[in-house]
Amino acid sequence: MVFQNSENGYTVLSIFTENGSVTATGKFPILGIGERVELEGEFKVNQKYGRQFEAQTIQIVKPTTLSSIRNYLSCGLISGVGEITANSIVNMFGEKTLEIIEFYPEELAKVRGISLKKAADIGMAFKEIKKMQEAVMFLQQYDISLNLSVKIYNKYKASTQKILSENPYCLIEDIDGIGFKTADKIASKMGIGETSQFRLRAGLIYTLKQIAELKGSTVVFRDTLIAETQRLLEISGMEEAFESVIISLMITGKIKDFEYNGQSAIAINSYYSMEKFIASKLLMLRDNGMLVNTDFEREIGDYQQSCNITLHKSQLEAIKTGVSSGVAIITGGPGTGKTTIIKGMLRIFKNAKLKCGLMAPTGRASKRLEEQTGEEASTIHRALEMQGKGDGMFLRNERNPLDYDVVIVDEVSMIDDFVMSSLLKAIRVGSRLILVGDKDQLPSVGAGNVLADILASKMFDTVNLTQIFRQSDDSSIIVNSHKINDGEMPNLLEKSSDFFYSSTFEPEAVLREIVELVTTRIPNYAGINCEDIQVMAPMKAGIAGVDNINAELQKAINPPSPQKPEIAHGKRVFRVGDKVMQIKNNYDQEWVKIDGNIITHGNGVFNGDIGYIDDINVQTQNIVVSFEDGRRAGFSLVDYENLTHAYAITIHKSQGSEFPVVIIPILGGNPMLFNRNLLYTAVTRAKSMVVLIGKQSSIYQCVKNNYIQKRFTMLKDFLCQNI
């Protein structure tokens, strides 16, 4: 194996033939060293690499010589079989080795060191590889990348060819990473017409999901849905056919049809059910909160005295609301005393012998909550004891609720419909729920508008904090963040120890300055490591966009070295030492965490998790990432698409995080993106220092642009209807 691009399957092989060695190229399935292949194609001369065999088709043939069988068994494809085990097996069974493994695997138990269970596992793994190779070769005739081919096989196994031949559009719903265009291309090659029911149905569902995932809206007006689907399918008319498909989807329970704001609207049934449940459970918790037996005035007095503080009337109101309400919402920007309020409530609840659970949506946010309060906190997923994917994802649910009298959730603006409904299922009726967050932050990445809808319903006791308390004389971050939120320009020219502005106009100059700031200027000025500096840009594309900044910072911070293994994946090169981020929830991803003598195993790596690559096995194409909370997870070929470099991240991906130093390039752009909400979120992610780079006019554009893309959701209506 000379080279293999995991994204498109393009491979360079060194083939050993009767007439010597031949370099062969083509799109191949996963192969092991020692396998026999029959290739059809033609020889061509490459100006750079010389004479090569360009293969159009490939057939995999069993290896026959003892040496090739040994090589094949020990190449790493079959789990649990290394060089020593392979030698032992071949020494006993000779040229019949592969026949024994495939048809009589129990015979392997005769080999020293192989148990009956291990023998069965080896036989299963061998058959699995054969089936996978056959499926991958079938899929590659439709130009499906090697990466996605393996994913598809892992889903459908031996039924891959049958399922896709019947309805390739099932890929859209079943396989992460396959969009409509990919499935549509396969369907076209299989002869499925552009007006088939399969295609119209897939287009409608895909459009609904895209609007939910990209725009956050769980409701789509019927006319909009049909128009957007027509645009996707590149067809016009067909309204009657679409209506027929919509009725079919309603009958099968896939979607809901209802009136919304006086118009006919459609929602995916799962979102409709989630928002209806969220509303009913919140109202139930509001009306059934247990009474807290406490002397509030005495408790507050003791708390102020022990902390040597005097609480503002808004803080007192917030603590009293949290203690006395079944469901309470406390919102406020940075420095408004939210942590002080949480600590005060915790003290009162603990003195009343109530058990409290502290949670946040992300690992970074929960860690910060723990540090600020001195009490144990966890992610919502960990508190719910996540165990995998599907209906039984969380062990904590209605049948096995959380053992808390009070649940306090921080950074609630990040929570989407799915997370909120999962959490509420696990909270006992009678428990108190306190939601804490910043209503002016960017909304959740996932579908829904949970915090905004709850606030807009006015159905719950709410305190909005505006008074700034956490502010030192030489600190400008909090002052400027509130200025931005109020629609005022930050103090860009005022001398400050923690808020800086660089007037740089050209994207190339911005890029150079970012590299200098991260690698030398800020570390020298502040005495910190470059690992503590986070670049956050509004967009991925462009000279000063996230992708390009990542490429330049990787060159500067973690350049190639013979001592650092690396793997190319598309346009990215993953290298040992790289700072990386998970960009999509993977509930099945296994991890291990070692804390002294305690070893913990679990599942789940989530959107926004940041870590560092600490090992790469080039042969097995496996990447090991150590995340900031101590979890170590292995990423195989099929997982690469969910991993990206994180020297720079988008501002949207920064939600719930806090970094010592933040660098923000602002060069202007689409008003739908460059708004006050975005800049405010970026600035409030910094703990010790902010550096704004760009044009003052672009910063002014953000500050004065209060546009927020409207999300169409059902939760507010369900709450107001007392459902």
Side-chain angles (χ1 to χ4, degrees):
M1 296 289 294
V2 179
F3 171 80
Q4 186 162 59
N5 185 315
S6 60
E7 196 166 271
N8 60 23
Y10 179 78
T11 308
V12 180
L13 301 174
S14 185
I15 308 286
F16 295 91
T17 75
E18 294 175 353
N19 300 316
S21 177
V22 174
T23 299
T25 66
K27 290 188 176 181
F28 301 145
I30 294 173
L31 299 169
I33 294 169
E35 284 199 274
R36 289 187 70 208
V37 292
E38 289 182 6
L39 308 179
E40 287 187 14
E42 58 183 318
F43 281 100
K44 291 189 176 180
V45 177
N46 182 293
Q47 287 187 348
K48 187 174 181 181
Y49 298 108
R51 188 169 181 261
Q52 295 180 332
F53 187 78
E54 196 173 277
Q56 271 80 52
T57 65
I58 178 172
Q59 291 292 324
I60 298 171
V61 186
K62 287 182 183 178
T64 54
T65 67
L66 295 184
S67 61
S68 65
I69 294 172
R70 281 195 185 93
N71 286 337
Y72 170 68
L73 290 181
S74 61
C75 73
L77 281 180
I78 300 176
S79 178
V81 178
E83 189 175 342
I84 294 173
T85 304
N87 280 331
S88 299
I89 293 172
V90 175
N91 288 341
M92 177 167 288
F93 299 109
E95 293 178 356
K96 291 186 176 181
T97 294
L98 298 183
E99 182 184 340
I100 293 292
I101 292 174
E102 184 171 5
F103 299 109
Y104 313 104
E106 66 277 3
E107 292 292 304
L108 296 175
K110 294 177 180 178
V111 177
R112 184 185 177 94
I114 298 181
S115 65
L116 200 57
K117 181 182 181 303
K118 186 173 181 179
D121 289 343
I122 292 171
M124 289 285 288
F126 181 80
K127 289 178 181 177
E128 189 79 4
I129 290 165
K130 282 191 66 180
K131 290 175 185 174
M132 179 172 66
Q133 288 173 333
E134 290 169 2
V136 168
M137 285 188 286
F138 161 74
L139 292 167
Q140 293 211 324
Q141 66 181 302
Y142 300 108
D143 295 326
I144 300 176
S145 73
L146 178 64
N147 193 0
L148 283 179
S149 295
V150 174
K151 251 189 174 180
I152 292 167
Y153 175 75
N154 287 340
K155 174 67 178 180
Y156 301 132
K157 299 298 182 183
S159 302
T160 297
Q161 191 166 344
K162 179 178 180 294
I163 290 171
L164 296 194
S165 297
E166 290 174 356
N167 178 19
Y169 291 106
C170 64
L171 291 169
I172 300 169
E173 296 184 44
D174 294 342
I175 310 293
D176 288 339
I178 291 191
F180 183 83
K181 287 186 178 179
T182 301
D184 201 37
K185 190 176 179 182
I186 298 167
S188 178
K189 287 191 173 186
M190 289 181 169
I192 294 176
E194 67 171 18
T195 60
S196 76
Q197 291 282 299
F198 281 137
R199 190 167 189 259
L200 299 186
R201 180 185 186 279
L204 284 164
I205 293 294
Y206 182 75
T207 300
L208 282 167
K209 286 188 173 180
Q210 283 295 97
I211 290 172
E213 292 171 8
L214 300 180
K215 297 182 179 179
S217 292
T218 55
V219 177
V220 183
F221 294 114
R222 197 187 201 100
D223 292 345
T224 302
L225 174 61
I226 292 174
E228 290 292 324
T229 307
Q230 286 172 327
R231 191 174 294 114
L232 172 72
L233 303 183
E234 297 181 344
I235 59 176
S236 58
M238 304 284 296
E239 280 80 7
E240 287 187 13
F242 278 115
E243 288 295 340
S244 174
V245 173
I246 287 172
I247 291 170
S248 171
L249 289 168
M250 289 166 54
I251 292 170
T252 56
K254 265 290 188 186
I255 62 174
K256 284 279 186 183
D257 166 80
F258 55 99
E259 187 177 297
Y260 182 85
N261 290 351
Q263 297 184 55
S264 177
I266 305 288
I268 295 175
N269 189 50
S270 57
Y271 287 125
Y272 185 93
S273 300
M274 275 192 281
E275 295 196 2
K276 194 169 185 178
F277 169 75
I278 291 169
S280 62
K281 187 62 178 280
L282 283 173
L283 293 170
M284 198 179 299
L285 290 172
R286 180 197 65 179
D287 297 336
N288 291 277
M290 67 175 71
L291 292 173
V292 179
N293 187 19
T294 183
D295 183 338
F296 182 78
E297 298 301 328
R298 181 180 60 79
E299 290 281 5
I300 284 294
D302 290 347
Y303 175 53
Q304 293 181 102
Q305 186 175 3
S306 64
C307 298
N308 194 26
I309 57 172
T310 301
L311 295 171
H312 186 268
K313 63 179 182 180
S314 62
Q315 293 176 303
L316 290 170
E317 181 190 359
I319 295 175
K320 193 165 189 175
T321 298
V323 170
S324 60
S325 305
V327 174
I329 296 93
I330 299 167
T331 72
T336 54
K338 295 191 294 294
T339 302
T340 302
I341 290 163
I342 292 173
K343 289 167 71 174
M345 291 188 295
L346 284 172
R347 179 188 177 107
I348 293 172
F349 288 135
K350 289 176 75 175
N351 287 344
K353 308 299 182 189
L354 298 180
K355 192 171 182 182
C356 300
L358 280 177
M359 302 172 199
T362 67
R364 277 178 170 270
S366 65
K367 184 179 179 182
R368 190 170 74 250
L369 183 62
E370 192 169 281
E371 291 170 349
Q372 290 172 339
T373 62
E375 301 289 338
E376 183 180 351
S378 75
T379 63
I380 296 172
H381 289 84
R382 183 155 64 89
L384 297 180
E385 298 179 30
M386 197 194 77
Q387 61 172 357
K389 207 171 183 179
D391 294 336
M393 178 184 294
F394 299 112
L395 291 178
R396 294 290 183 174
N397 49 41
E398 302 98 324
R399 297 176 299 282
N400 182 30
L402 292 164
D403 186 25
Y404 295 125
D405 303 303
V406 181
V407 174
I408 301 176
V409 185
D410 197 13
E411 294 284 1
V412 74
S413 63
M414 294 180 64
I415 297 179
D416 60 22
D417 279 354
F418 172 72
V419 174
M420 179 57 85
S421 63
S422 300
L423 173 62
L424 290 173
K425 285 176 185 176
I427 297 178
R428 295 183 311 230
V429 175
S431 299
R432 294 184 178 280
L433 175 63
I434 300 167
L435 304 175
V436 183
D438 185 344
K439 65 181 178 61
D440 298 309
Q441 293 281 359
L442 289 169
S444 62
V445 174
N449 206 17
V450 175
L451 178 59
D453 280 351
I454 291 172
L455 291 171
S457 75
K458 298 182 180 179
M459 301 295 286
F460 305 95
D461 294 331
T462 303
V463 178
N464 182 31
L465 305 166
T466 56
Q467 183 74 28
I468 301 174
F469 302 101
R470 181 166 54 88
Q471 176 187 342
S472 61
D473 294 336
D474 60 347
S475 172
S476 299
I477 294 176
I478 292 173
V479 172
N480 281 328
S481 67
H482 282 272
K483 277 181 171 290
I484 292 166
N485 199 35
D486 292 336
E488 300 175 21
M489 279 289 282
N491 296 320
L492 299 179
L493 304 180
E494 188 176 82
K495 285 190 176 181
S496 167
S497 63
D498 66 351
F499 196 99
F500 301 92
Y501 167 65
S502 173
S503 179
T504 308
F505 294 82
E506 297 301 324
E508 293 84 357
V510 170
L511 183 61
R512 287 195 300 271
E513 184 160 7
I514 288 172
V515 174
E516 290 174 9
L517 284 166
V518 173
T519 56
T520 55
R521 287 165 57 185
I522 293 178
N524 291 341
Y525 170 78
I528 64 172
N529 296 321
C530 61
E531 288 85 0
D532 292 324
I533 303 169
Q534 186 61 60
V535 182
M536 299 191 324
M539 299 184 299
K540 291 182 181 179
I543 293 171
V546 166
D547 292 341
N548 205 38
I549 295 170
N550 268 321
E552 292 302 311
L553 286 175
Q554 184 192 35
K555 289 179 193 174
I557 296 171
N558 192 34
S561 162
Q563 285 74 47
K564 296 176 185 174
E566 61 182 48
I567 289 176
H569 178 64
K571 294 180 180 179
R572 294 191 185 99
V573 174
F574 292 116
R575 184 176 299 134
V576 167
D578 274 342
K579 184 179 183 180
V580 292
M581 173 187 274
Q582 176 80 4
I583 58 173
K584 196 169 187 179
N585 289 342
N586 185 341
Y587 298 102
D588 293 328
Q589 187 91 37
E590 295 181 355
W591 53 260
V592 62
K593 186 175 182 179
I594 302 174
D595 187 5
N597 294 324
I598 301 173
I599 300 175
T600 308
H601 294 269
N603 295 78
V605 179
F606 305 110
N607 188 354
D609 285 352
I610 292 176
Y612 289 85
I613 296 176
D614 60 21
D615 188 35
I616 291 178
N617 187 320
V618 178
Q619 181 64 45
T620 62
Q621 300 276 289
N622 194 60
I623 295 173
V624 177
V625 176
S626 288
F627 290 99
E628 293 173 324
D629 60 0
R631 290 169 300 150
R632 294 183 84 240
F635 289 77
S636 63
L637 185 83
V638 297
D639 303 315
Y640 291 175
E641 66 190 42
N642 293 332
L643 205 61
T644 188
H645 292 105
Y647 301 103
I649 62 175
T650 62
I651 294 170
H652 283 81
K653 292 291 185 188
S654 72
Q655 288 174 271
S657 299
E658 188 176 69
F659 306 95
V661 178
V662 166
I663 299 173
I664 310 163
I666 299 289
L667 291 173
N670 189 333
M672 293 180 68
L673 177 65
F674 283 76
N675 56 25
R676 184 187 305 171
N677 201 218
L678 185 89
L679 183 59
Y680 173 73
T681 298
V683 170
T684 55
R685 298 307 89 200
K687 186 177 181 181
S688 305
M689 185 189 299
V690 168
V691 180
L692 279 178
I693 306 175
K695 306 175 187 176
Q696 282 199 41
S697 59
S698 298
I699 295 169
Y700 182 84
Q701 173 194 346
C702 282
V703 171
K704 295 302 178 182
N705 178 17
N706 201 26
Y707 170 82
I708 298 175
Q709 188 176 49
K710 183 172 176 56
R711 294 189 172 195
F712 296 98
T713 55
M714 300 159 278
L715 179 56
K716 177 193 168 186
D717 290 347
F718 285 150
L719 286 168
C720 292
Q721 293 163 13
N722 279 280
I723 289 180

